[in-house]
Amino acid sequence: MHVYIGTYTQDRTEGLYHFTFDTKTGALTPRGAYGGVVNPSFLAPHPTGPYLYAVAEAGRNDGLTAFAIDESTGILTKLNTQTTPGRAACHVAIDPAGTTAVVSYYASGSVASFPIHDDGRLGPAASDIRHVGSSVNPERQEGPHAHSTTFDPSGRFAVTADLGLDQLLVSVLDPATSELVPHDPPFARVHPGAGPRHFAFHPTLAVAYVINELDATVTTLDWDAEAGKLEPRQTIGTLPEEFDGRRSTAEVVVHPNGKFLYGSNRGHDSLVIYGIDPDDGALSLVGFTPSGGQEPRNFNLDPSGRWLIACNQNSHDVQVYSVDGATGRLSSVGEPVAVPMPVCVKFRRLPG
């Protein structure tokens, strides 16, 4: 498989790193690095075509860049860039049909959608939704801070986790125009001071999960796919009860088999593992695994669910794990691989 890793560039020209991944041994082999995008902190591969999209988390005049992927070598070729209407672009998501890219902006508390043409290029922004409000944490929730957007399996609805509002805002996508329109009801609330960050749907159950950055919890929500409505049901901590250090989470991912949920803890520098009840999606703690470095951000499972790669931003490396499909537990494979300030990792299959 190809593996692409986005980083914070700082004073480097290159920020997007390409590896090949051996699905038999778990070995990562470097293949190249690419410039042209400042702080490509989040990436999204196209669901069907040979394209990759990267945000530029620059603070102002942030961009979204489209790349073509050579199917045999994985080499990237820049297609085009659209200047985005918000500030501090921190996440990009593609709808399941591959018609639209949606960017979330932390500083401006907004989301924008961009049409994806048949050749993978991006059109100008089709919509720009600005969030309004605040919540109970005066330092982190003084205003809206959109942190991620996730499409439901149908591609009809997009859910944006806004850390500043303690809300999960639901929008409806028009795939013909790539326009997003706020849904009715427009949002679901999580508990005050939670700080929702990233979000994931269960592959088969009518359930979703949001990891909350500010109080280090995960909330389970029931999902009404017809009505486009979320209802919180369970909240569980991401840290050992005895831990009294810094609390801050980053990523949440459901295993492809639907049996396990994983989250990343910054401060504790670990990955938390939960079991998922097969009937109602409720979570139960399985355990914790050290992230292999400092400040784990995004991580991802390969499509088979046999492997997980975690990005450790502050120790400048990524760690590969093998996944026990029966227990969900993780075992590190080899030493961490050096990558400067890695924050996002994405897999893409080789042809055949």
Side-chain angles (χ1 to χ4, degrees):
M1 300 193 72
H2 299 301
V3 168
Y4 298 98
I5 297 175
T7 72
Y8 286 129
T9 51
Q10 294 188 310
D11 57 354
R12 288 175 287 111
T13 301
E14 298 169 331
L16 208 168
Y17 291 80
H18 171 214
F19 294 78
T20 49
F21 181 70
D22 188 324
T23 56
K24 294 182 179 179
T25 66
L28 274 174
T29 302
R31 296 301 183 189
Y34 301 87
V37 180
V38 177
N39 295 334
S41 64
F42 213 85
L43 313 174
H46 194 279
T48 57
Y51 310 113
L52 182 73
Y53 300 87
V55 299
E57 191 175 338
R60 293 185 180 276
N61 298 319
D62 294 6
L64 178 64
T65 297
F67 293 91
I69 302 173
D70 184 286
E71 290 281 59
S72 58
T73 66
I75 291 173
L76 301 178
T77 301
K78 182 178 177 180
L79 295 174
N80 75 328
T81 297
Q82 290 291 346
T83 301
T84 60
R87 291 184 294 114
C90 59
H91 188 274
V92 56
I94 314 296
D95 73 301
T99 68
T100 306
V102 176
V103 178
S104 302
Y105 303 91
Y106 184 86
S108 55
S110 59
V111 294
S113 60
F114 300 82
I116 298 175
H117 300 311
D118 290 344
D119 63 0
R121 294 176 184 271
L122 295 158
S127 55
D128 178 18
I129 300 174
R130 303 283 168 145
H131 301 167
V132 177
S134 61
S135 195
V136 298
N137 185 322
E139 295 181 357
R140 298 293 306 279
Q141 297 181 310
E142 80 296 343
H145 295 300
H147 222 311
S148 67
T149 299
T150 305
F151 283 95
D152 81 311
S154 75
R156 178 185 173 198
F157 296 105
V159 178
T160 298
D162 194 301
L163 180 147
L165 303 183
D166 286 326
Q167 293 178 2
L168 302 170
L169 297 101
V170 182
S171 301
V172 181
L173 175 68
D174 182 343
T177 64
S178 293
E179 184 179 7
L180 283 177
V181 177
H183 187 44
D184 184 16
F187 60 83
R189 292 187 186 275
V190 293
H191 56 279
R197 179 182 172 104
H198 281 199
F199 185 92
F201 283 97
H202 192 279
T204 57
L205 300 175
V207 174
Y209 306 93
V210 62
I211 195 162
N212 301 306
E213 177 178 337
L214 299 185
D215 70 351
T217 59
V218 172
T219 299
T220 304
L221 305 102
D222 293 314
W223 169 243
D224 185 329
E226 290 297 320
K229 185 177 180 181
L230 291 161
E231 188 66 39
R233 170 158 49 91
Q234 175 200 25
T235 296
I236 187 171
T238 68
L239 292 164
E241 290 184 5
E242 66 274 13
F243 182 73
D244 62 358
R246 172 176 167 241
R247 293 172 173 265
S248 181
T249 64
E251 188 58 86
V252 64
V253 176
V254 183
H255 193 281
N257 67 14
K259 296 180 180 180
F260 308 103
L261 184 80
Y262 300 87
S264 54
N265 283 306
R266 297 177 288 181
H268 191 244
D269 292 337
S270 67
L271 301 176
V272 59
I273 309 162
Y274 304 98
I276 298 176
D277 187 288
D279 296 320
D280 66 2
L283 300 178
S284 57
L285 180 66
V286 172
F288 305 90
T289 298
S291 70
Q294 300 170 10
E295 200 75 357
R297 290 285 300 269
N298 172 257
F299 61 88
N300 252 309
L301 290 151
D302 82 305
S304 75
R306 293 178 54 224
W307 305 99
L308 183 150
I309 299 178
C311 293
N312 292 302
Q313 176 185 323
N314 290 358
S315 52
H316 306 280
D317 52 44
V318 299
Q319 178 66 58
V320 178
Y321 297 88
S322 63
V323 182
D324 186 318
T327 68
R329 293 189 178 273
L330 305 174
S331 300
S332 58
V333 177
E335 295 298 315
V337 177
V339 181
M341 294 198 79
V343 289
C344 182
V345 56
K346 296 292 182 180
F347 289 89
R348 193 177 189 281
R349 290 184 185 277
L350 288 161

